[in-house]
Amino acid sequence: MNSTAWDSQPTLSRGEDTLYFASDRLGGFGLSDIWFTARQKNGQWGKAQNLGPVVNTRESEVSPFYHPMYNVLYFSSRGNY
């Protein structure tokens, strides 16, 4: 999961099988995006994937926080839709 880019602000899903984080790694839509990785059956984390243009804008998305009670991912965005 680690890259040479800025990878920060991790948060785990309720089942601790999905890790969401902010990153400015290549392949994003903007300055920083929300990404995720899923825990594989062998316990290793899979390849990081961008959450896509429904969540990410050309600007910065940061500070993801998964709220386990409501099953919701909160984050901050500087982008406009």
Side-chain angles (χ1 to χ4, degrees):
M1 183 180 103
N2 289 336
S3 71
T4 58
W6 174 77
D7 293 330
S8 187
Q9 306 164 337
T11 186
L12 282 170
S13 65
R14 178 177 22 207
E16 298 184 354
D17 57 353
T18 305
L19 178 75
Y20 300 95
F21 62 98
S23 180
D24 65 356
R25 60 178 57 202
L26 293 175
F29 289 89
L31 300 175
S32 64
D33 287 356
I34 306 298
W35 294 71
F36 75 97
T37 181
R39 189 184 310 265
Q40 307 299 304
K41 290 182 181 183
N42 65 5
Q44 299 294 313
W45 292 101
K47 182 179 176 184
Q49 299 176 59
N50 190 288
L51 278 178
V54 172
V55 170
N56 296 302
T57 67
R58 292 183 182 185
E59 296 294 327
S60 293
E61 281 68 47
V62 295
S63 303
F65 171 73
Y66 179 83
H67 197 297
M69 181 182 283
Y70 301 111
N71 198 30
V72 173
L73 180 68
Y74 294 98
F75 61 94
S76 176
S77 177
R78 286 187 159 171
N80 294 317
Y81 287 98

